[in-house]
């Protein structure tokens, strides 16, 4: 009886193994028959071609200009007696060294100037209530120095076209004047002296127009900043204030066109 049980057990195990093998082979055959394959990896994204090689130097300058004249803006015809002109210019020379392919670190200097003149402004809100301003002038000059890192992404095999993102840490110093009145009514000059440290981003597009010369366009994005201001009326000190914040947004007034020489 014992021998018979052992034999029966071996027979059952053999039958189970055979059944499993048949099921496995059937499953494989079925998978192959309906076209199922083992999972495969996919490569997505842009290929980062070499745009600028390691150990190369670059020297360049970016410039920006924005002008405004109320006489050229039809939308401001809704405002009565509005006469305003203004401009914003910026110049930023820089030098950089490529520590690796498509990776550059460098030094940047800057100068910007803003001017604005409001001859008159009149706004009627309701009958008997209006706002009127005359003889206002604003002008400011800012100087900056900072370090930057620029990472390129080459879009073509031949290295003609690339995009980049520039991260910069900058110190800014500037003086602005807000002048009210005229010689007859008296002139009041409010002066503000500013010191600022800013961390910013500037994505852009670059294209080689000659073998060693590229042109670029970038848009400044304000990041983190800390500012300390002192204010004077005439020559009299009237107060100071500090401000800081994080504000990541596209600055449409900071669109820069640049030309870079590579050696």
């Amino acid at each position: 009886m014992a021998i018979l049980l052992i034999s029966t057990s071996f027979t059952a195990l053999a039958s189970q193994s055979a059944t499993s093998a048949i099921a496995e082979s059937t499953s494989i055959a079925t998978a192959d028959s309906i076209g199922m394959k083992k999972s495969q990896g996919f490569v997505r994204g842009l290929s980062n071609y070499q745009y600028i090689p390691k150990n190369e130097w670059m020297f360049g300058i970016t410039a920006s200009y924005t002008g405004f004249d109320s006489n050229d803006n039809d939308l401001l015809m809704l405002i009565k007696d509005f006469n305003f002109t203004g401009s914003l210019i910026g110049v930023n020379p820089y030098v950089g060294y490529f520590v690796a392919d498509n990776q550059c670190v460098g030094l940047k200097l800057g100068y910007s100037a803003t001017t604005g003149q409001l001859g008159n402004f009149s706004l009627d809100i309701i009958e008997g209530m209006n706002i009127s301003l005359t003889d206002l002038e604003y002008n400011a000059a800012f100087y900056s120095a900072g370090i930057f890192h620029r990472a390129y992404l080459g879009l073509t095999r031949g290295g003609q076209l690339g995009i980049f993102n520039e991260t910069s840490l900058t110190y800014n110093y500037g003086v602005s004047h807000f002048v009210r009145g005229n010689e007859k009514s008296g002139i009041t000059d409010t002066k503000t002296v500013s010191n600022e440290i800013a961390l910013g981003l500037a994505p852009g597009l670059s294209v080689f127009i000659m073998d060693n010369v590229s042109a670029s366009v970038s848009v400044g994005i304000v990041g983190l900043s800390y500012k300390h201001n002192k204010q004077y009326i005439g020559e009299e000190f009237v107060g100071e204030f500090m401000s800081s914040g994080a504000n990541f947004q596209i600055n449409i007034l900071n669109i820069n066109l640049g030309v870079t020489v590579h050696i």
Side-chain angles (χ1 to χ4, degrees):
M1 181 63 66
I3 296 175
L4 179 59
L5 291 175
I6 294 173
S7 176
T8 303
S9 300
F10 276 114
T11 302
L13 292 173
S15 177
Q16 184 178 359
S17 300
T19 302
S20 300
I22 293 172
E24 182 178 358
S25 61
T26 303
S27 175
I28 294 174
T30 303
D32 290 340
S33 65
I34 62 175
M36 293 178 61
K37 297 182 180 180
K38 294 182 179 180
S39 61
Q40 298 179 351
F42 293 92
V43 179
R44 297 183 175 90
L46 296 172
S47 298
N48 188 6
Y49 299 107
Q50 185 187 75
Y51 186 66
I52 302 176
K54 180 181 178 181
N55 296 329
E56 188 166 289
W57 286 89
M58 71 175 187
F59 304 87
I61 186 170
T62 63
S64 61
Y65 173 79
T66 301
F68 181 84
D69 191 331
S70 60
N71 294 326
D72 299 330
N73 197 322
D74 294 336
L75 293 177
L76 293 175
M77 293 178 64
L78 300 175
I79 303 176
K80 182 181 178 182
D81 297 331
F82 183 69
N83 182 15
F84 176 81
T85 59
S87 65
L88 170 66
I89 63 171
V91 179
N92 298 278
Y94 58 88
V95 58
Y97 178 74
F98 283 82
V99 296
D101 290 348
N102 297 347
Q103 301 290 327
C104 177
V105 294
L107 173 66
K108 176 180 291 187
L109 302 176
Y111 169 77
S112 64
T114 304
T115 61
Q117 293 181 339
L118 179 63
N120 54 69
F121 172 83
S122 179
L123 177 62
D124 293 326
I125 302 175
I126 58 176
E127 185 177 354
M129 182 178 179
N130 61 73
I131 298 174
S132 179
L133 298 172
T134 59
D135 298 324
L136 300 179
E137 181 179 346
Y138 175 83
N139 61 79
F142 290 89
Y143 305 87
S144 65
I147 56 176
F148 70 90
H149 170 260
R150 186 178 287 189
Y152 286 88
L153 178 65
L155 300 180
T156 59
R157 292 183 181 275
Q160 298 90 355
L161 181 66
I163 57 177
F164 64 85
N165 180 65
E166 181 178 299
T167 304
S168 60
L169 180 63
T170 309
Y171 167 72
N172 299 297
Y173 170 81
V175 178
S176 63
H177 293 268
F178 184 68
V179 181
R180 303 182 299 277
N182 51 49
E183 294 182 356
K184 293 182 179 180
S185 61
I187 297 176
T188 302
D189 182 4
T190 301
K191 181 176 71 172
T192 302
V193 180
S194 301
N195 291 274
E196 180 186 25
I197 297 177
L199 176 66
L201 303 176
L205 175 70
S206 176
V207 58
F208 272 89
I209 55 179
M210 299 176 62
D211 288 342
N212 294 318
V213 179
S214 66
S216 64
V217 58
S218 63
V219 180
I221 300 179
V222 178
L224 305 174
S225 65
Y226 171 81
K227 182 182 291 186
H228 177 254
N229 292 342
K230 292 184 177 181
Q231 200 165 76
Y232 303 82
I233 296 181
E235 298 299 327
E236 180 182 358
F237 175 73
V238 294
E240 61 183 351
F241 63 92
M242 294 174 289
S243 64
S244 62
N247 188 15
F248 289 87
Q249 62 181 6
I250 296 177
N251 185 357
I252 60 174
L253 296 179
N254 191 11
I255 298 177
N256 299 296
L257 301 176
V259 176
T260 304
V261 177
H262 304 262
I263 59 175

